[in-house]
Amino acid sequence: MATVLVIDDDDDVRKLIARALAERYDVIEASDAAAALALAADRRLDLIVCDVMMPRMSGFELVRELRARDGGNHVPIVFLTAKSGAMDVVEGINAGARAYVTKPFKLAPLVERIEKILATPRGAAGQSR
């Protein structure tokens, strides 16, 4: 079973996504970057869903930190954010996003995108918005 880390400082959003994924995946949750880094150090992750705007450390910074660690380069990232400007999307892609989903979002397409990413062999191209 694939492990998905859902990171969002909004409890309602994080729990909504976690519940939607829980039947198919092992879902772990973090409410901030520090908790996410600690969880990522102890687990093999298959995908990360990450809010961009969080206190103390942005999702972009968090992903750069994870990518700098040994073994962190393979994990696909789905950014979830209210930042919808063209330069925000570019920054997300440069940070390693496989998908960049803007808030407000519809849950079913988000779950479908996550499923497609997890079904794609590692290393396959496919960054999308």
Side-chain angles (χ1 to χ4, degrees), residues 90-111:
V90 168
E91 186 175 3
I93 290 169
N94 287 336
R98 286 285 302 274
Y100 194 94
V101 178
T102 56
K103 294 178 183 178
F105 63 93
K106 300 227 184 272
L107 188 59
L110 173 64
V111 170

Side-chain angles (χ1 to χ4, degrees), residues 10-29:
D10 183 317
D11 290 339
D12 293 334
V13 170
R14 188 180 68 254
K15 297 215 176 286
L16 175 72
I17 296 167
R19 276 193 305 272
L21 298 174
E23 286 186 28
R24 285 193 76 177
Y25 308 108
D26 178 24
V27 179
I28 54 178
E29 301 176 46

Side-chain angles (χ1 to χ4, degrees), residues 4-127:
V4 178
L5 173 57
V6 179
I7 311 160
D8 199 307
D9 58 325
D10 183 317
D11 290 339
D12 293 334
V13 170
R14 188 180 68 254
K15 297 215 176 286
L16 175 72
I17 296 167
R19 276 193 305 272
L21 298 174
E23 286 186 28
R24 285 193 76 177
Y25 308 108
D26 178 24
V27 179
I28 54 178
E29 301 176 46
S31 60
D32 60 37
L37 287 170
L39 288 169
D42 294 335
R43 294 245 168 96
R44 181 190 165 277
L45 302 175
D46 297 290
L47 185 133
I48 298 171
V49 178
C50 184
D51 186 16
V52 171
M53 296 186 299
M54 296 184 289
R56 293 179 295 286
M57 180 184 282
S58 76
F60 295 151
E61 294 168 317
L62 169 65
V63 169
R64 285 186 196 102
E65 175 73 26
L66 288 171
R67 296 280 194 237
R69 292 180 176 189
D70 289 342
N73 280 333
H74 73 282
V75 181
I77 307 295
V78 175
F79 280 123
L80 188 62
T81 182
K83 296 180 81 169
S84 61
M87 293 310 297
D88 298 316
V89 175
V90 168
E91 186 175 3
I93 290 169
N94 287 336
R98 286 285 302 274
Y100 194 94
V101 178
T102 56
K103 294 178 183 178
F105 63 93
K106 300 227 184 272
L107 188 59
L110 173 64
V111 170
E112 182 68 20
R113 186 170 288 178
I114 289 167
E115 290 176 356
K116 294 291 185 204
I117 292 169
L118 287 170
T120 304
R122 296 253 189 245
Q127 296 175 346

